[in-house]
C-alpha cells in the first residue's frame, strides 16, 4: 500500500485535487490518500464550498497556526505544523499542486524529513522572479522526486533546469476537472441571487482580479477599474471578488469609482464560475487557472499580465496579453469579442489523473526511496 499525503490550501488546489483524488479512490487496495488542509484559504466560499461541490474527501488534518500573515511567516508556520504531522504519520510520499505558498511549505517540510515529493503541474515558468509563484515553482521542481508536467513546454523547462530524469509529461489535471464537471456547470442558488438574469441573458464579460501585483498597486488598480468602466459602457461585466481585491477596495474607501454596469459579487463556487465563463463573450483575468478554463470552454480570454505560463493558449489564438491601461484593456476586450482561436490539445486529452496513477503504480520509481 502506498500512503500518499496530499497538502492543499488554496482554491485552485481544491479544484485540481478533485480529479486526482476521485481517481485515486478507485485504487483503494493499493494507494491510500490523506488530505491535509494548510488553512491558506479559509473562507467558506474560498474553501468549504469546493469540498462539498466537487465531492472531495474531508481533510484529516487542518493546520492550526496563523497562516494569514506575510508570505514568509505563512510558509514557515505551515512548515513547522507539517513537519510534526509528517514525522508522526510517516507517509510514503507527499503530493502537492501548483505554485502557492502551501505548495512550497509542504514540499520543503517533506524533503527535510526525507519524504519524497510528487509535484503536479511542474515545469511552468513565467520567467518573472518578482512573482512569489515563480520562486515557489522553481524551488518545488528542484526538490521534488517526481515532476509531473502539463505540457511539452513545461517538460522543456524541466529539461533546461537539468530535471528531465525526474520528470514525466502527463497533461493538465484541470482538463480532467473540466471534463468531469462541465456538464454539471450551472448557477448555484446563491450565485443566481447575486447575478441579475438581465445581465447574463445578454452578452457580458466575466472578469477576475486577485494578484498582488495589481491589487496592491494603486496606479494599476485605478487603471484596471477605469478599463472596466470603459468596457461596461458597451457590455456589462460580472466580477466575482477575491478577498484580496475586496479588502483592498475597502481600504480605498470609495475613491476608486466603479460603474453600476460592473457587477461585483462574492467569490463563486466552481460550477457557477464555469457556467459564467462558458456563457461570457470574453473573459478578462489575471488568474492562471481561469486562462485555461476559458480555453477549454472556448471563450476568448484577455490576460492583464506581462507574461503567462500558459503560452499555448496564446499561440492557438484563444488568449491575449494586455497592459493594465484602461484603453489597452478596453481595446483588447473589444478585439477579443470577434475572435476565435483554433482547436488544439496542447495540454493532453483530460486523462492526466490516469497517467499520474500509472506513473505511481507502474513505474516503480517509488521503490528507490524505500
Ligand atoms: C494565492 C496564491 C496564488 C493563487 C491564489 C488563488 C500564493 C503565493 N499565491 O493567492 O498563486 O493564484 O491563491 O486564489 O500562494 N483571504 C481571505 N479569505 C480567504 C483566502 C484569503 O480573506 O479565504 C485573504 C488573505 O488573508 C490575504 C489575501 O486574501 O489577506 C490573499 O490571500 P493569500 O492566500 O495570501 O494569496 P492569494 O492572493 O489568494
Amino acid at each position: 500500500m502506498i500512503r500518499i499525503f496530499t497538502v492543499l490550501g488554496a482554491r485552485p488546489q481544491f479544484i485540481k485535487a478533485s480529479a486526482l483524488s476521485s481517481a485515486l479512490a478507485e485504487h483503494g487496495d493499493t494507494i491510500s490518500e490523506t488530505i491535509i488542509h494548510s488553512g491558506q484559504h479559509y473562507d467558506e466560499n474560498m474553501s468549504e464550498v469546493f469540498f462539498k461541490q466537487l465531492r472531495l474527501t474531508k481533510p484529516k488534518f487542518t493546520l492550526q497556526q496563523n497562516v494569514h500573515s506575510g508570505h514568509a511567516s505563512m510558509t514557515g508556520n505551515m512548515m513547522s505544523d507539517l513537519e510534526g504531522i509528517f514525522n508522526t504519520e510517516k507517509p510514503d510520499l507527499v503530493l502537492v499542486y501548483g505554485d502557492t505558498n502551501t505548495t512550497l511549505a509542504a514540499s520543503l517540510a517533506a524533503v527535510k524529513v526525507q519524504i519524497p515529493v510528487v509535484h503536479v503541474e511542474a515545469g511552468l515558468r513565467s520567467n518573472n522572479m518578482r512573482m512569489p509563484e515563480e520562486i515557489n515553482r522553481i524551488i518545488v521542481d528542484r526538490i521534488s522526486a517526481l515532476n509531473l508536467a502539463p505540457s511539452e513546454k513545461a517538460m522543456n523547462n524541466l529539461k533546461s533546469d537539468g530535471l528531465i530524469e525526474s520528470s514525466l509529461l502527463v497533461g493538465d489535471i484541470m482538463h480532467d476537472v473540466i471534463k468531469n464537471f462541465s456538464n454539471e456547470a450551472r448557477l448555484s442558488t446563491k450565485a443566481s441571487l447575486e447575478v441579475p438574469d438581465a445581465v447574463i441573458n445578454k452578452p457580458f464579460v466575466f472578469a477576475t482580479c486577485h494578484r498582488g501585483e495589481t491589487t496592491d498597486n494603486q496606479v494599476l488598480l485605478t487603471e484596471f477599474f477605469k478599463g472596466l468602466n470603459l468596457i461596461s459602457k458597451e457590455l456589462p461585466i460580472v466580477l466575482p471578488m477575491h478577498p484580496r481585491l475586496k479588502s483592498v477596495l475597502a481600504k480605498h474607501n470609495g475613491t476608486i469609482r466603479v460603474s453600476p454596469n460592473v457587477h461585483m459579487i462574492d467569490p463563486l463556487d466552481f460550477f457557477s464560475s464555469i457556467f459564467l465563463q462558458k456563457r461570457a463573450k470574453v473573459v478578462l483575468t489575471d488568474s492562471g487557472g481561469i486562462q485555461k478554463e476559458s480555453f477549454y470552454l472556448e471563450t476568448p480570454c484577455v490576460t492583464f499580465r506581462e507574461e503567462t505560463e500558459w503560452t499555448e493558449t496564446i499561440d492557438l489564438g484563444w488568449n491575449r496579453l494586455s497592459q493594465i491601461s484602461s484603453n489597452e484593456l478596453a481595446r483588447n476586450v473589444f478585439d477579443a469579442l470577434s475572435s476565435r482561436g483554433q482547436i488544439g490539445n496542447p495540454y493532453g486529452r483530460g486523462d492526466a489523473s490516469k497517467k499520474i496513477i500509472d506513473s505511481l503504480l507502474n513505474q516503480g520509481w517509488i521503490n528507490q526511496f524505500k
Side-chain angles (χ1 to χ4, degrees):
M1 174 73 80
I2 304 175
R3 291 174 64 243
I4 301 179
F5 274 43
T6 299
V7 186
L8 308 174
R11 178 169 63 178
Q13 293 164 336
F14 311 135
I15 297 171
K16 289 167 198 161
S18 71
L20 185 55
S21 294
S22 63
L24 283 170
E26 289 171 20
H27 293 266
D29 47 340
T30 41
I31 305 182
S32 73
E33 187 189 36
T34 300
I35 307 276
I36 302 178
H37 193 317
S38 73
Q40 182 170 350
H41 286 177
Y42 48 91
D43 287 348
E44 211 271 337
N45 56 17
M46 294 292 287
S47 172
E48 179 83 24
V49 68
F50 298 94
F51 278 84
K52 283 191 203 139
Q53 192 170 63
L54 305 177
R55 303 184 277 275
L56 259 173
T57 311
K58 280 213 158 72
K60 182 166 177 197
F61 302 93
T62 299
L63 305 189
Q64 296 304 326
Q65 290 202 53
N66 176 12
V67 296
H68 309 127
S69 35
H71 283 258
S73 39
M74 177 196 284
T75 309
N77 286 344
M78 288 178 193
M79 280 178 70
S80 76
D81 273 1
L82 286 166
E83 181 177 41
I85 297 172
F86 294 160
N87 272 330
T88 315
E89 300 285 326
K90 304 199 180 332
D92 293 314
L93 60 89
V94 166
L95 190 138
V96 295
Y97 293 90
D99 55 19
T100 69
N101 292 337
T102 295
T103 318
L104 177 66
S107 309
L108 281 171
V111 296
K112 294 273 179 204
V113 294
Q114 313 285 319
I115 299 170
V117 172
V118 174
H119 184 202
V120 178
E121 210 177 71
L124 296 175
R125 296 288 180 271
S126 65
N127 299 311
N128 175 355
M129 288 300 278
R130 282 166 300 152
M131 286 177 73
E133 291 83 3
E134 181 75 355
I135 298 162
N136 293 347
R137 18 174 125 91
I138 289 173
I139 297 172
V140 175
D141 286 347
R142 182 64 191 82
I143 62 180
S144 290
L146 181 58
N147 281 308
L148 299 166
S151 64
E152 290 283 357
K153 184 148 185 239
M155 282 297 279
N156 287 337
N157 291 335
L158 291 161
K159 191 174 174 190
S160 305
D161 285 359
L163 299 172
I164 198 70
E165 299 282 297
S166 61
S167 304
L168 197 67
L169 176 61
V170 294
D172 177 26
I173 194 84
M174 272 308 297
H175 199 171
D176 296 34
V177 179
I178 294 282
K179 258 174 81 170
N180 292 350
F181 291 113
S182 59
N183 288 340
E184 292 188 53
R186 63 190 125 65
L187 267 193
S188 67
T189 327
K190 187 173 171 295
S192 62
L193 290 175
E194 286 199 79
V195 188
D197 279 352
V199 172
I200 59 167
N201 287 335
K202 293 200 186 129
F204 69 96
V205 172
F206 180 87
T208 74
C209 171
H210 79 282
R211 286 193 186 275
E213 297 94 288
T214 311
T215 58
D216 302 349
N217 178 322
Q218 189 173 353
V219 175
L220 292 182
L221 191 66
T222 306
E223 273 303 307
F224 175 69
F225 276 98
K226 272 190 186 164
L228 293 190
N229 292 344
L230 266 180
I231 297 162
S232 73
K233 288 184 180 165
E234 306 290 326
L235 285 173
I237 297 176
V238 177
L239 172 65
M241 266 192 297
H242 186 282
R244 181 197 280 279
L245 178 62
K246 193 170 186 173
S247 77
V248 168
L249 283 178
K251 279 187 204 135
H252 285 291
N253 207 8
T255 54
I256 294 185
R257 197 185 73 75
V258 187
S259 138
N261 219 14
V262 179
H263 300 269
M264 299 211 280
I265 59 175
D266 280 342
L268 291 169
D269 60 279
F270 185 66
F271 293 166
S272 300
S273 171
I274 292 298
F275 175 86
L276 289 176
Q277 286 181 62
K278 200 173 162 62
R279 221 175 155 109
K281 285 287 168 216
V282 176
V283 165
L284 175 64
T285 192
D286 60 354
S287 151
I290 289 180
Q291 286 174 56
K292 260 179 313 133
E293 285 167 9
S294 57
F295 168 71
Y296 295 131
L297 298 165
E298 298 181 14
T299 302
C301 180
V302 176
T303 300
F304 54 94
R305 278 182 50 195
E306 283 169 20
E307 71 287 302
T308 175
E309 300 77 22
W310 304 103
T311 50
E312 298 85 352
T313 59
I314 294 193
D315 299 341
L316 286 167
W318 289 101
N319 191 5
R320 62 191 71 208
L321 298 178
S322 175
Q323 281 174 0
I324 308 178
S325 88
S326 50
N327 289 334
E328 278 301 291
L329 288 166
R331 183 183 67 76
N332 278 300
V333 166
F334 295 137
D335 284 353
L337 270 178
S338 55
S339 76
R340 233 189 110 73
Q342 296 159 27
I343 303 297
N345 285 309
Y347 307 122
R349 297 186 175 273
D351 56 359
S353 317
K354 183 180 174 314
K355 288 188 174 146
I356 292 170
I357 293 174
D358 286 351
S359 76
L360 296 180
L361 288 178
N362 302 332
Q363 300 202 356
W365 70 272
I366 195 167
N367 292 329
Q368 57 187 299
F369 301 100
K370 286 204 164 166

